Every structure is written in C-alpha cells, then in structure tokens.
C-alpha cells in the first residue's frame, strides 16, 4: 500500500514539474493562478525610456471552466506595476472608472486572448533596474480570483 501511495505522489510531482517548463522566449515564467488561468506579459525591449510604451499581455485559460472577465471600453482592467530593487512599487496603469458600462468577456477552456496595455513612464521614476508585473481579476464558478503575470526585468534610461 505504501508503495502505491509513493508512486502516485511521484507521478503527481513529476507531472507538475514537467508542466512548469516552457520554451516560449517571448512570454516566459508563467505564473499560475489557483484556477489554472495564466497571465503572461512581454515587451519588445527591456530598455525603457520615459514616455509611453505598450505591454503585450495574454491570458490562457487552461482550466476546465469558462472564465469571465470584465473591462471598461477604452481602458484595460490590468494592474501593471514597476518594482524597484528595495521593493517599492509604482502603479503604471490609471485607476479604473468608478462607474460606466463594462464589456463582458468569456474565455472557454484552452482559449487564449491577447491585449495591448498602454503604459506611461513618468519623469518621477529614476533611471535604474526595475521589474514589471501585472495582475487581473477573473471570475470562475461564481468566485473572483486574481491572476499574476511573469516578471520582466527592465532598465529605465
């Protein structure tokens, strides 16, 4: 009996380790939410100048459930942060409107959707090394979850 339990645990551990590996260079280090939904972000360059840039984001629903997202027209509901070495974070996305209509979005199992997130890098940020991370809320089976993206190392010049 102990041998069977050991083999089952080994199979689960091995499967988990194998699924964590990826060969996609443009969107690496996927973070998995509690419900099997992945958010990945990518930049065309890891050196950023002050001004406007865009971040590519993708959500992949690898769960067995339909997930629901909502967003306001002309804005995105992503939260994008720039984090410096000591851990201080700077929110790069504007606050969401308090009211107005929202657009419902549904992602079926194995479905993927891409976004472009406009970001403004202000003069108040000092040149240096930072990490960019994003998050977004989604609903699955009537519960709200937060998905977190991979981390991107960037330099602000």
């Amino acid at each position: 009996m102990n041998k069977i339990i050991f083999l089952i645990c080994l199979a689960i551990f091995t499967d988990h380790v194998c699924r964590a590996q990826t060969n996609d260079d443009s969107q690496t280090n996927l973070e998995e939410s509690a419900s099997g939904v992945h958010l990945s972000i990518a930049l065309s360059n890891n050196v950023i100048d002050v001004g406007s840039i865009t971040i590519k984001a993708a959500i992949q629903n690898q769960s067995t459930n339909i997930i629901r997202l909502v967003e306001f027209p002309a804005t995105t509901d992503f939260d994008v942060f720039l984090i410096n070495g000591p851990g201080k974070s700077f929110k790069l996305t504007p606050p969401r409107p308090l009211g107005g209509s929202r657009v419902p979005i549904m992602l079926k199992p194995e479905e993927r959707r891409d976004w472009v997130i406009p970001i403004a890098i202000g003069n108040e940020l000092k040149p240096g090394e930072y990490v960019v991370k994003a998050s977004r809320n989604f609903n699955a089976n009537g519960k709200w979850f937060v998905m977190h993206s991979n981390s991107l190392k960037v330099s602000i010049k």
Side-chain angles (χ1 to χ4, degrees):
M1 182 68 168
N2 286 341
K3 185 176 181 181
I4 293 171
I5 293 172
F6 172 77
L7 291 174
I8 291 170
C9 291
L10 182 62
I12 291 169
F13 175 76
T14 305
D15 179 56
H16 178 71
V17 170
C18 292
R19 281 188 286 150
Q21 297 173 352
T22 179
N23 292 327
D24 185 359
D25 292 334
S26 63
Q27 298 174 3
T28 58
N29 301 323
L30 293 176
E31 295 286 335
E32 185 173 336
S33 73
S35 294
V37 180
H38 297 277
L39 168 60
S40 61
I41 58 173
L43 289 165
S44 60
N45 191 347
N46 66 345
V47 177
I48 301 173
D49 292 319
V50 171
S52 296
I53 64 165
T54 57
I55 294 177
K56 297 175 187 174
I59 295 175
Q60 174 75 41
N61 181 5
Q62 295 180 327
S63 74
T64 57
N65 302 308
I66 294 175
I67 65 163
R68 290 168 177 77
L69 307 149
V70 292
E71 63 185 36
F72 290 95
T75 65
T76 65
D77 280 318
F78 290 91
D79 290 321
V80 178
F81 293 92
L82 197 61
I83 304 160
N84 66 10
K88 183 175 180 184
S89 65
F90 305 90
K91 188 173 180 186
L92 300 178
T93 46
R96 289 180 206 86
L98 296 176
S101 63
R102 292 184 176 186
V103 177
I105 299 168
M106 292 193 304
L107 286 178
K108 297 175 186 171
E110 301 303 320
E111 195 171 18
R112 173 188 163 129
R113 177 143 183 207
D114 297 321
W115 282 264
V116 175
I117 307 169
I119 300 297
I121 305 292
N123 290 328
E124 71 278 1
L125 294 170
K126 296 178 181 177
E129 304 298 315
Y130 293 84
V131 171
V132 177
K133 286 194 68 96
S135 63
R136 177 141 186 192
N137 297 330
F138 71 96
N139 187 297
N141 293 326
K143 289 184 172 182
W144 285 97
F145 298 90
V146 178
M147 62 184 114
H148 299 280
S149 74
N150 53 304
S151 299
L152 299 176
K153 293 181 182 179
V154 297
S155 296
I156 294 183
K157 298 295 177 184

